[in-house]
Amino acid sequence: MVRLPGRATRPSRPSGRPRAPREGRPDGSRAEGERPGVLRSVVTGRSVAGQVFLLQVVIVLLLVVSAVVAQVLQVRHDSDVEARNRSLSVAQSFANAPGTAAALRSAHPTALLQPRAEATRKATGVDFVVVMNTDGVRYTHPRPDRIGKQFVGTIAPAVAGGTVVEHVNGTIGPLVQVVVPVKDAGGTVVGLVSAGITTAHVGGAADQQLPLLLAAAAVALALATAGTALVSRRLLRQTRGLGPYEMTRMYEHHDAVLHAVREGVLIVGGDGRLLLANDEAQRLLGLPPDAERRSVLELGLDEETAALLGSGRVATDEVHLVKDRLLAINQRPTDLRGGPPGSVTTLRDSTELRALSGRAEVARERLNMLYDAGVGIGTSLDVTRTAQELADLAVPRFADFATVDLFDAVIGGDEPKPGTALRRAACAALRPDAPLYPVGERIRFVATSPQARSLTTGQSVVEPRLGTAPGWRAQDLERTDQVLAYGIHSLITVPLRAGSLVLGVVNFWRSQKPQPFDSEEVALAEELVARAAVSIDNARRYTREHSMAVTLQRSLLPRSLPEQGALEIAYRYLPAQSGVGGDWFDVLPLSGARVALVVGDVVGHGLHAAATMGRLRTAVHNFSALDLPPDELLGLLDELVGRIDQDETPAEGSAAVTGATCLYAVYDPVSRLCTVARAGHPPPALVRPGGRVEFPDVPAGPPLGLGGLPFEATELELPEGSRLVLYTDGLVEDRERDIDEGLELLGDALRRTPDSSPEETCRSVLDRLPNRPRDDVALIVARTRVLGADRVARWRVPSDPAAVSELRGSVTRQLAEWELDELAFTTELVLSELVTNAIRYGRGPIGVRLLRERTLICEVSDGSTTSPHLRYAASTDEGGRGLFLVAQLAERWGTRYTAHGKIIWAEQLLP
């Protein structure tokens, strides 16, 4: 039987033994209203209250005596310190006072110093101020008969320049005296000053405080007496007047009930120590025999249960697994109504609820897994990443290993083709050395394998024991033996179905648990795979559409740069992280050895933006063939984009093309002039020879498609070797920075490559970008070249047909100088026809220019704006065959308009 610690067990009273009579009457009864003599019991000391009262009296007396002694000692100490400080202050003040040192050196020091010393003594309250010479002979003293006698005390340290503090018993009683030196201006000790005061003059506080201490002691005794009486009366009220026998019987009944109930009862104190545990609590918790008075954290209980018992918090039917039992625990604090600190805990064995609780926990975990699958699978539109997310979710919460096998067509974004091989797209494992097929392996499953049966029937297949599954072992005898030796023993294969399409299979493998997969786990696997299949199919569709858009965009961008000699060009194109944008660029050779550079960006993403970009690029090709100035060409593009936005409706779910930006630049290697116009596009960057970087002030027209405003062009004169940098906004603009910061970063990158080639410049600029920018990036770097004067020939031709023959001779001589005699005949014929037409149908001034570049270019300019047309002349026509001959003899020919007229040009291939 468990007893309260420190409480003895009273033996049971023998049957028939008479009960002890109560005090007060012979029969043991007590008259109504009668109370025991509380004060008498207190004073006698026979009761516990009386003993406590006597103990309190002794304690109060000890405290009073201790306080008096401490007070006297403290007063003595304070008096000594006060006397020392006051004497030292007076002595130092007098020694350092003006005139003291001089008086000591005077002929009559006593006459000068005695009045001052007495005045100081009376003013400061010290008992004496004595001035003496270095031999200790007094010059001053409160008693004049002592003047001229030897000072009583220690003076050697003061003569050496120090300070002497000492306690002496003088004629006036115990005192503290201080001796300090008097120094002259040179620091020499010329005399001594001593001041002293008796400790009685600074004390006296103890006599005043002693009555207060005695009064406090008397009050404490009175309070102790009253308190003991009140406690005694309260104990009587709480026990309801029961005597010791009745209290013992009541305790025995309570003890019997406590140990008879079939619930465990624990009482824990406020300090976390176990005070009581009945027999049932001992059995349920398996407590050691010496558990009482020990902390609940030291009883070998599990961490959660021990923490609950030690916390003292309120608990209602909390279920805890303690060893092999499920215990329902209820706990309440004991100090809710003024009781002692601690808690009472009851325990009830609920082991029969274990199976139900386990099933509920499994169901909760499965619901959590399905929720996590809905949140964690399909975070991206990447097929393999989505498959890996499924595998990672299943391991280790559901299986020890998980693999996802997809058809190759699915990974590429196409619809699966049954009968083809699969590829392992994802794998998750508890250990990385499992002998399963690695990621990326092409697998062709045999017809008897669970995977093949799952693909054929579209149903899940379970192999509870792989060691006895011949169909699975027939897949690869060597590898399956390794899998079994590794410890994998059970398999679930679930088809990845999206509608009527089977995208692949998912395999769940078990090795840690000895039990095979059951039917409930198969249902959970099917639910997980069904949710993942939707995400994988969405990723497949996106991959297909993205691949189509990328293919379209790549096909619309230039695959290689055309041959031209005016610029050395390098370019880069970086697609965005997701989606396909409308960034594009082009290099277009023009007549007269000129080259056009184009960079543009269609607003929006997707197939519609890519298709619009292709249309704009085609339009620029067509407009550039007309040799239009950059501002006029942008005007035509503006009208085209406006018609596209107005006439076409974007597909459902795609963004409309609300406009586009474009920059068009034409460089002439003969004049070194670059004409630039832009429509809402970032300005070009210009790196001059030597490395100076600038952003030319090119008027920023509105984006294409807005209409209403004309575009302006700017002419830039570029020295040979200059680098012109054209780009789209994806290079300089980002969500994390504005365009001004991006332009500053671009300028810094260009300054770091002062004399680099265009290829090196492109590499340096793009090194600061992320691997996959958020927006498309198109970049062109063009280094200028100049067509020298030795490769250009010009002539002025008068409006006279006779001048044609003279021109032919000049051209023949120039061609001979260029070693192009083979082209002399055709060149003379072409120039004759073009110059004759200019004389006949045009107006002056007429000019001829020959350019020796990659081809031989012949140009004839005049002041008219009429353009000749190629036609077939009838057999009866006298003319009309000149342009026909030019077209037959030249590789290309055409007309371009200038501010002062037109130029008809023709190109011939060099031999």
Side-chain angles (χ1 to χ4, degrees):
M1 181 180 295
V2 178
R3 300 297 181 189
L4 288 176
R7 178 178 294 182
T9 303
R10 180 170 178 171
S12 301
R13 178 172 52 85
S15 177
R17 181 178 177 180
R19 181 180 300 177
R22 295 183 179 181
E23 296 178 357
R25 291 192 179 185
D27 59 356
S29 62
R30 187 177 291 128
E32 184 177 358
E34 184 180 349
R35 296 289 183 182
V38 176
L39 184 60
R40 179 170 55 83
S41 63
V42 169
V43 174
T44 59
R46 289 179 295 176
S47 66
V48 175
Q51 295 171 2
V52 172
F53 171 72
L54 294 178
L55 179 62
Q56 288 177 339
V57 171
V58 173
I59 292 174
V60 170
L61 292 177
L62 289 177
L63 291 176
V64 171
V65 172
S66 299
V68 171
V69 173
Q71 183 66 29
V72 171
L73 293 178
Q74 182 65 35
V75 168
R76 289 184 178 180
H77 177 266
D78 292 344
S79 299
D80 183 68
V81 172
E82 175 65 20
R84 175 183 175 180
N85 292 340
R86 190 184 301 181
S87 300
L88 180 62
S89 175
V90 172
Q92 288 180 340
S93 298
F94 194 89
N96 297 325
T100 302
L104 286 170
R105 291 182 180 275
S106 65
H108 302 284
T110 300
L112 297 176
L113 295 175
Q114 176 69 9
R116 293 170 55 187
E118 286 302 300
T120 301
R121 180 180 66 81
K122 295 176 181 179
T124 58
V126 297
D127 290 328
F128 65 86
V129 175
V130 175
V131 183
M132 68 197 83
N133 60 13
T134 55
D135 295 327
V137 177
R138 299 187 185 105
Y139 290 150
T140 66
H141 196 277
R143 296 179 181 179
D145 58 333
R146 302 287 179 93
I147 296 175
K149 295 182 180 181
Q150 191 69 27
F151 176 74
V152 179
T154 304
I155 63 172
V159 173
T163 300
V164 178
V165 179
E166 58 184 347
H167 297 75
V168 297
N169 288 320
T171 57
I172 56 176
L175 57 83
V176 176
Q177 68 180 11
V178 176
V179 182
V180 298
V182 179
K183 298 179 181 181
D184 59 7
T188 303
V189 177
V190 297
L192 304 175
V193 176
S194 175
I197 187 172
T198 59
T199 54
H201 290 174
V202 294
D207 297 338
Q208 301 174 2
Q209 296 177 358
L210 187 59
L212 180 62
L213 289 176
L214 295 177
V219 172
L221 287 174
L223 292 176
T225 303
T228 304
L230 290 175
V231 169
S232 299
R233 297 188 63 177
R234 186 182 180 100
L235 288 174
L236 289 174
R237 286 198 304 269
Q238 290 180 347
T239 58
R240 302 179 182 273
L242 295 177
Y245 176 74
E246 288 83 359
M247 293 291 295
T248 302
R249 287 293 303 272
M250 182 175 65
Y251 168 76
E252 290 175 349
H253 281 90
H254 289 177
D255 190 58
V257 171
L258 179 66
H259 292 276
V261 295
R262 299 305 302 167
E263 280 194 355
V265 179
L266 298 173
I267 299 178
V268 179
D271 57 353
R273 296 183 180 274
L274 180 64
L275 300 180
L276 181 144
N278 68 349
D279 295 341
E280 185 68 8
Q282 293 270 2
R283 183 184 69 85
L284 293 177
L285 296 178
L287 298 177
D290 59 343
E292 294 180 357
R293 289 296 181 183
R294 292 174 58 183
S295 173
V296 294
L297 302 178
E298 302 173 355
L299 301 180
L301 302 175
D302 63 280
E303 183 178 350
E304 186 176 0
T305 304
L308 172 61
L309 296 178
S311 66
R313 63 177 174 85
V314 175
T316 302
D317 288 335
E318 286 194 13
V319 179
H320 289 252
L321 179 61
V322 180
K323 294 182 174 61
D324 59 342
R325 293 184 176 89
L326 284 176
L327 301 182
I329 301 178
N330 291 272
Q331 183 169 275
R332 294 293 185 273
T334 57
D335 55 355
L336 293 179
R337 297 183 179 179
S343 61
V344 176
T345 306
T346 60
L347 311 172
R348 185 173 66 255
D349 192 355
S350 302
T351 307
E352 65 276 5
L353 299 177
R354 174 183 293 182
L356 179 60
S357 176
R359 287 194 294 270
E361 180 66 21
V362 171
R364 184 181 65 83
E365 174 61 23
R366 291 179 178 177
L367 288 175
N368 289 339
M369 189 182 303
L370 292 176
Y371 172 78
D372 293 341
V375 175
I377 299 178
T379 59
S380 68
L381 292 174
D382 183 85
V383 175
T384 56
R385 181 175 176 183
T386 304
Q388 187 62 47
E389 290 172 347
L390 169 60
D392 292 339
L393 178 71
V395 177
R397 299 171 66 178
F398 177 69
D400 300 324
F401 304 91
T403 57
V404 181
D405 304 323
L406 302 175
F407 288 103
D408 278 335
V410 173
I411 297 176
D414 298 327
E415 292 189 357
K417 300 176 182 179
T420 60
L422 287 83
R423 186 177 299 276
R424 181 137 294 175
C427 178
L430 285 178
R431 293 174 288 173
D433 57 344
L436 301 173
Y437 288 116
V439 174
E441 181 86 8
R442 284 178 60 87
I443 309 171
R444 187 176 291 275
F445 293 104
V446 299
T448 59
S449 66
Q451 292 84 357
R453 286 183 285 153
S454 180
L455 290 172
T456 302
T457 62
Q459 302 295 324
S460 301
V461 177
V462 184
E463 292 290 355
R465 294 175 178 82
L466 293 176
T468 60
W472 172 76
R473 302 196 66 177
Q475 172 66 35
D476 186 340
L477 292 177
E478 181 180 357
R479 187 176 293 273
T480 53
D481 288 340
Q482 294 175 356
V483 170
L484 292 175
Y486 191 77
I488 299 176
H489 59 81
S490 186
L491 167 68
I492 299 178
T493 297
V494 184
L496 265 167
R497 301 186 58 181
S500 60
L501 298 178
V502 179
L503 308 177
V505 291
V506 181
N507 307 295
F508 301 99
W509 313 80
R510 174 170 286 176
S511 64
Q512 298 283 343
K513 295 182 180 179
Q515 300 85 2
F517 287 109
D518 56 26
S519 58
E520 293 184 358
E521 290 172 324
V522 173
L524 176 60
E526 291 176 344
E527 182 68 22
L528 283 175
V529 174
R531 297 194 178 200
V534 176
S535 299
I536 292 177
D537 188 52
N538 290 338
R540 177 190 68 84
R541 294 173 182 271
Y542 171 79
T543 301
R544 181 184 60 186
E545 295 179 2
H546 183 70
S547 299
M548 293 173 57
V550 170
T551 302
L552 174 62
Q553 186 184 43
R554 293 289 187 184
S555 66
L556 294 177
L557 290 172
R559 299 182 181 179
S560 61
L561 297 181
E563 294 183 2
Q564 46 83 31
L567 297 170
E568 179 187 355
I569 297 177
Y571 67 93
R572 293 287 189 278
Y573 177 80
L574 298 180
Q577 290 180 356
S578 61
V580 175
D583 290 17
W584 54 285
F585 64 93
D586 220 332
V587 179
L588 306 172
L590 303 177
S591 62
R594 297 172 304 130
V595 178
L597 301 176
V598 190
V599 175
D601 183 6
V602 176
V603 178
H605 289 82
L607 285 173
H608 192 58
T612 304
M613 177 269 288
R615 296 173 69 176
L616 290 181
R617 180 169 179 257
T618 302
V620 171
H621 269 266
N622 294 332
F623 295 151
S624 66
L626 302 177
D627 266 331
L628 296 174
D631 51 344
E632 295 183 17
L633 186 142
L634 292 181
L636 295 177
L637 283 180
D638 181 57
E639 296 179 5
L640 175 63
V641 174
R643 287 198 301 271
I644 292 175
D645 286 341
Q646 293 174 4
D647 299 341
E648 296 187 4
T649 301
E652 182 179 356
S654 62
V657 180
T658 58
T661 65
C662 181
L663 187 146
Y664 189 86
V666 177
Y667 174 68
D668 187 348
V670 178
S671 63
R672 296 185 292 107
L673 292 179
C674 181
T675 307
V676 185
R678 61 187 179 114
H681 203 81
L686 178 60
V687 185
R688 296 188 178 274
R692 185 164 63 90
V693 179
E694 59 185 59
F695 292 90
D697 186 13
V698 180
L704 301 176
L706 298 183
L709 293 176
F711 298 96
E712 298 182 47
T714 299
E715 284 192 349
L716 306 174
E717 184 175 352
L718 306 181
E720 185 176 6
S722 300
R723 282 174 290 166
L724 189 65
V725 182
L726 309 183
Y727 51 89
T728 56
D729 58 355
L731 182 68
V732 296
E733 195 170 10
D734 198 284
R735 296 176 184 175
E736 299 177 357
R737 64 172 184 265
D738 57 18
I739 190 171
D740 292 334
E741 184 179 354
L743 291 176
E744 183 64 28
L745 293 176
L746 174 59
D748 292 340
L750 294 176
R751 291 185 192 97
R752 289 197 296 267
T753 58
D755 299 317
S756 301
S757 65
E759 190 69 28
E760 293 173 345
T761 304
C762 286
R763 187 163 44 251
S764 175
V765 170
L766 295 183
D767 281 346
R768 65 182 181 82
L769 288 180
N771 294 331
R772 296 293 303 275
R774 293 190 175 130
D775 196 5
D776 293 2
V777 174
L779 173 66
I780 298 179
V781 179
R783 182 156 60 185
T784 60
R785 298 169 179 165
V786 175
L787 194 62
D790 57 335
R791 302 173 67 181
V792 179
R794 295 184 177 88
W795 296 274
R796 283 285 186 179
V797 180
S799 298
D800 183 1
V804 177
S805 60
E806 183 179 352
L807 175 64
R808 285 198 298 266
S810 300
V811 170
T812 301
R813 288 189 295 272
Q814 184 63 52
L815 293 178
E817 183 179 344
W818 286 345
E819 298 179 353
L820 298 176
D821 298 299
E822 298 179 16
L823 299 179
F825 176 74
T826 55
T827 303
E828 289 178 6
L829 184 57
V830 169
L831 284 177
S832 296
E833 290 297 331
L834 295 180
V835 173
T836 302
N837 283 340
I839 294 173
R840 180 177 298 177
Y841 302 110
R843 62 173 181 266
I846 299 172
V848 175
R849 185 170 71 164
L850 284 183
L851 303 176
R852 185 180 182 276
E853 210 238 359
R854 294 180 304 102
T855 60
L856 180 63
I857 304 173
C858 304
E859 295 181 346
V860 177
S861 61
D862 66 81
S864 68
T865 58
T866 57
S867 176
H869 299 282
L870 181 66
R871 64 186 179 88
Y872 287 96
S875 58
T876 58
D877 291 341
E878 295 183 359
R881 297 176 178 83
L883 285 180
F884 183 78
L885 291 175
V886 171
Q888 294 299 315
L889 295 175
E891 183 69 19
R892 293 193 311 154
W893 76 280
T895 303
R896 74 173 181 268
Y897 294 93
T898 66
H900 307 289
K902 68 177 183 298
I903 296 175
I904 301 176
W905 54 271
E907 292 184 3
Q908 302 175 73
L909 295 178
L910 297 178

